[in-house]
C-alpha cells in the first residue's frame, strides 16, 4: 500500500473494513499527521513556516496565498486539497481520509469540523467505515463552530452560518444555517 493507492481507494467511496490493509495504512497516515500537527500547534510559526508544515502534511506544495491560524487538527492530511487564497482560522478539525477539496478564496471559521467518514451502523461491524468527500466551492465562507458531514458539496459563494450542521448539499450563492442547516436566503453572488 502507498499513499496514491490509499487516496484512490478512499475516493472510490468503498467500505473500509476494520483491520484491513487500507485501514492499517489509514492509521499509519494518522500518526504521521499527528507528528506534523503537533509541530504546527506546538509553538509560534511565521506564515512561511506554517505553509511549509502544511505542505508536508498534505504532501503537496501549498500556495503562498494560503493562511492558517493554528491550532489545526487532522487525522490524515494526504487527502486534503487546498486552493489559492484560502484562510483557515484556529481550532479546526478536518477528517480528510474521504477527501476534502477547498476552492479558491474560501474562508473557514474558528473550530469548524469537516468529517468525511461514517461508521457502520451494525454494532458487530462498527469499526468499518464509509468515506465520502466534501467539496467546498470558490469564495465560500463557513462560520465558526459549523460542522459539514461527509458527501456534502457547498456551492461557490455560499455562506454557512456559525454553528450550522450541514448534512445536504448547499447551492451556490445561498446562505444556510441551523441544525440541520436549512436555506435562509439567497445572497449576492460574486464568483
Amino acid at each position: 500500500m502507498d499513499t496514491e493507492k490509499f487516496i484512490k481507494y478512499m475516493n472510490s467511496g468503498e467500505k473500509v473494513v476494520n483491520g484491513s490493509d487500507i485501514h492499517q495504512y489509514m492509521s499509519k497516515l494518522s500518526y504521521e499527521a499527528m507528528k506534523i500537527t503537533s509541530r504546527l500547534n506546538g509553538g509560534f510559526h511565521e506564515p512561511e513556516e506554517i505553509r511549509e508544515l502544511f505542505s508536508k502534511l498534505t504532501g503537496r506544495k501549498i500556495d503562498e496565498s494560503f493562511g492558517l491560524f493554528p491550532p489545526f487538527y487532522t487525522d490524515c492530511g494526504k487527502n486534503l486539497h487546498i486552493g489559492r487564497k484560502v484562510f483557515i482560522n484556529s481550532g479546526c478539525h478536518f477528517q480528510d481520509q474521504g477527501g476534502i477539496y477547498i476552492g479558491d478564496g474560501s474562508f473557514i471559521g474558528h473550530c469548524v469540523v469537516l468529517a468525511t467518514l461514517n461508521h457502520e451502523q451494525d454494532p458487530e461491524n462498527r469499526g468499518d467505515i464509509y468515506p465520502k468527500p466534501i467539496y467546498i466551492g470558490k469564495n465560500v465562507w463557513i462560520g465558526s463552530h459549523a460542522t459539514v458531514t461527509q458527501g456534502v458539496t457547498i456551492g461557490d459563494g455560499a455562506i454557512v452560518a456559525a454553528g450550522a450542521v450541514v448534512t445536504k448539499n448547499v447551492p451556490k450563492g445561498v446562505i444556510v444555517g441551523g441544525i440541520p442547516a436549512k436555506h435562509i436566503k439567497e445572497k449576492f453572488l460574486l464568483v
Side-chain angles (χ1 to χ4, degrees):
M1 180 64 57
D2 64 23
T3 302
E4 187 176 320
K5 287 180 185 174
F6 170 80
I7 290 173
K8 185 176 181 180
Y9 186 88
M10 296 304 281
N11 289 348
S12 77
E14 294 292 319
K15 177 167 79 169
V16 176
V17 175
N18 187 26
S20 66
D21 288 345
I22 196 86
H23 190 262
Q24 290 175 24
Y25 196 79
M26 181 187 301
S27 294
K28 175 185 180 287
L29 291 178
S30 292
Y31 283 101
E32 287 177 18
M34 284 188 279
K35 188 184 297 185
I36 296 167
T37 56
S38 68
R39 285 186 54 208
L40 177 67
N41 300 333
F44 176 78
H45 300 284
E46 295 291 340
E48 308 81 48
E49 295 171 298
I50 290 172
R51 285 191 298 275
E52 181 183 318
L53 287 166
F54 219 82
S55 293
K56 286 181 183 176
L57 180 66
T58 64
R60 291 175 212 77
K61 181 167 174 44
I62 296 297
D63 190 81
E64 65 182 30
S65 63
F66 172 75
L68 169 75
F69 288 169
F72 174 81
Y73 305 94
T74 188
D75 49 9
C76 182
K78 299 300 187 251
N79 209 358
L80 181 55
H81 310 270
I82 307 287
R84 297 184 70 250
K85 298 181 181 178
V86 168
F87 175 71
I88 300 171
N89 220 323
S90 64
C92 290
H93 293 256
F94 289 8
Q95 182 188 55
D96 68 289
Q97 287 96 335
I100 294 174
Y101 299 82
I102 302 175
D104 295 346
S106 290
F107 293 168
I108 311 296
H110 290 91
C111 301
V112 166
V113 174
L114 304 178
T116 65
L117 301 178
N118 204 353
H119 285 274
E120 174 66 52
Q121 292 181 5
D122 175 8
E124 298 289 322
N125 298 305
R126 187 77 31 93
D128 296 350
I129 54 176
Y130 297 91
K132 287 185 187 171
I134 292 172
Y135 294 96
I136 297 169
K138 294 179 181 178
N139 302 312
V140 169
W141 175 21
I142 300 179
S144 297
H145 292 274
T147 297
V148 180
T149 62
Q150 65 164 182
V152 167
T153 296
I154 299 175
D156 293 346
I159 296 173
V160 175
V165 177
V166 184
T167 61
K168 294 186 167 100
N169 292 346
V170 177
K172 68 180 184 176
V174 168
I175 300 172
V176 299
I179 302 173
K182 292 182 171 55
H183 179 276
I184 295 174
K185 68 178 183 177
E186 306 289 323
K187 67 171 233 25
F188 183 71
L189 183 61
L190 290 173
V191 273

